């Protein structure tokens, strides 16, 4: 079947990129558990290595199971191509790698997944890259942070640990003006709830570990390219616009046009950084994506019910769910993620740090884990775990203060989730 972009999301999540297996007719995408592929002849091998013909060489670069997942991710996000890799964190490095260089900086939102704050504020310094953190509601501060060495702007659509929606339209207006790519981490929203490319994103990154696979089984990451950025408009992106010595001086943008970033991600990124996804993980993720819209609808419905209940409970100080009318970001939901504000949010418990620790121990259905975006409901006390490496200032900026608990609402019966929270709050708050 054709992968017409006119097809609806529910059709694309099942069919995009997949075809009956040409060798066996297998309807489900086989797990191509192979490291390498036999060349037709020496000439075929040479063409593949020169990127003159697209095909399979070695599974560090390309694999047919992963290729289906890449095409499906591109279709769901409305991009021209995608590169899958081993984890969400790998996807972030893979997205930045062709853009950055020693002495270059990226501007990142203060509201990010805790691991991303650590990756950006600490680890990337080893590459000579700098991240500047800015409150993305303060667009003047964002503009002021951009300088001649800025190469990317990075934010999350629905930001972890929850309750904040980035005004992607306002941010992309600034990146367009500055001639910079906007990278949006769409993990918490998924392409079902938010399509960042329609709001001006250049690249969309994902941790497929979360909602896309959906049941907490495998790790994975993806970078989807909008194909809309002109890498040759300035001299800022030489990896994409200038001759590449490893491919006989070929220029990726000139040769591959809108597919330049995707080809570079595979031919240089995966080849040399080696953060490759494995075909088993791609299979689990493809299985998960087939039911993405059904699950996301239920995650949103359940989150709305649980957040509303929590907001009306005396033991709870506040709930930051953008799907609640009380949220300052409620108006952005209709524009940025019209099908709902996701399944992830935080709430603050009266009784502070100690009550939060008791609460997570007393919950029964909710599992105390570092993951999110699972079919089952999950809870974590961010200040003592995922955001532990952050300073007090970073904790507040990330919305992860000491009395804050993050929950990822699953697709169980919502009444059972509410009953579980009720009994645990009683134990936590006395
Ligand atoms: C989990 C997560 C990541 C990191 O993904 P991994 O697959 O764990 O490497 C990045 N961003 C967000 C928003 C996440 O939730």
């Amino acid at each position: 079947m054709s992968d017409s972009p006119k097809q609806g999301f529910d059709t694309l999540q099942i069919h995009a990129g997949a075809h009956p297996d040409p060798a066996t007719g297998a309807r489900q995408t086989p797990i191509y558990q192979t490291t390498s592929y036999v060349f037709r002849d020496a000439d075929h091998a040479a063409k593949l290595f020169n990127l003159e013909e697209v095909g399979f060489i070695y599974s560090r670069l390309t694999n047919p199971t992963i290729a289906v997942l890449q095409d499906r991710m591109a279709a769901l996000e409305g991009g021209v191509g995608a590169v899958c890799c081993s984890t969400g964190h790998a996807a972030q490095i893979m997205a930045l790698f062709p853009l950055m260089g020693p002495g270059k900086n990226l501007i990142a939102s203060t509201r990010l997944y805790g691991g991303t704050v650590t990756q950006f504020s600490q680890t990337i310094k080893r590459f000579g890259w700098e991240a500047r953190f800015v409150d993305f509601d303060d667009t003047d501060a964002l503009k002021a942070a951009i300088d001649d060495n800025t190469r990317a702007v990075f934010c999350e659509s629905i930001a972890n640990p929850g309750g904040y929606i980035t005004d992607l339209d306002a941010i992309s207006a600034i990146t367009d003006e500055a001639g910079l790519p906007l990278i949006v981490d769409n993990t918490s929203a998924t392409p079902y709830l938010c399509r960042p490319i329609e709001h001006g994103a250049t690249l969309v990154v994902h941790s497929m570990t979360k909602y896309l696979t959906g049941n907490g089984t495998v790790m994975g990451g993806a970078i989807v390219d909008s194909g809309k950025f002109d890498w040759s408009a300035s001299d800022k992106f030489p990896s994409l616009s200038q001759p590449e010595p490893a491919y006989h001086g070929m220029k990726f943008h000139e040769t591959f046009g809108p597919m330049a970033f995707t080809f570079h991600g595979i031919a240089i990124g995966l080849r040399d950084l080696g953060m490759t996804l494995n075909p088993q993980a791609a299979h689990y993720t493809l299985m998960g994506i087939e039911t993405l819209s059904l699950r996301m609808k239920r995650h949103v419905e359940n989150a709305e019910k649980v957040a509303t209940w929590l907001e009306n409970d005396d033991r709870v100080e506040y709930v930051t769910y953008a799907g609640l009318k009380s949220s300052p970001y409620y108006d952005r939901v209709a524009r940025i993620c019209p099908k709902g504000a996701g399944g992830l949010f935080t709430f603050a418990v009266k009784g502070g740090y100690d009550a939060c620790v008791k609460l997570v121990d007393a919950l029964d259905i909710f599992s105390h884990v570092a993951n999110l975006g699972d079919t089952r409901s999950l809870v974590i006390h961010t200040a003592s775990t995922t955001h532990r490496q952050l300073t007090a200032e970073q904790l507040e900026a990330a919305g992860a203060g000491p009395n804050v608990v993050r929950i990822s609402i699953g697709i169980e019966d919502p009444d059972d989730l509410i009953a579980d929270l009720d009994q645990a709050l009683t134990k936590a708050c006395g």
Side-chain angles (χ1 to χ4, degrees), residues 73-89:
M73 286 301 296
L76 294 179
E77 285 288 3
V80 295
V83 184
C84 287
C85 52
S86 53
T87 65
H89 265 13

Side-chain angles (χ1 to χ4, degrees), residues 2-15:
S2 78
D3 301 330
S4 156
K6 290 198 183 69
Q7 288 171 341
F9 192 95
D10 292 9
T11 306
L12 292 173
Q13 73 184 359
I14 295 169
H15 292 287

Side-chain angles (χ1 to χ4, degrees), residues 193-206:
L193 298 180
C194 177
R195 305 237 306 168
I197 291 172
E198 290 170 8
H199 299 281
T202 308
L203 302 172
V204 180
V205 294
H206 275 281

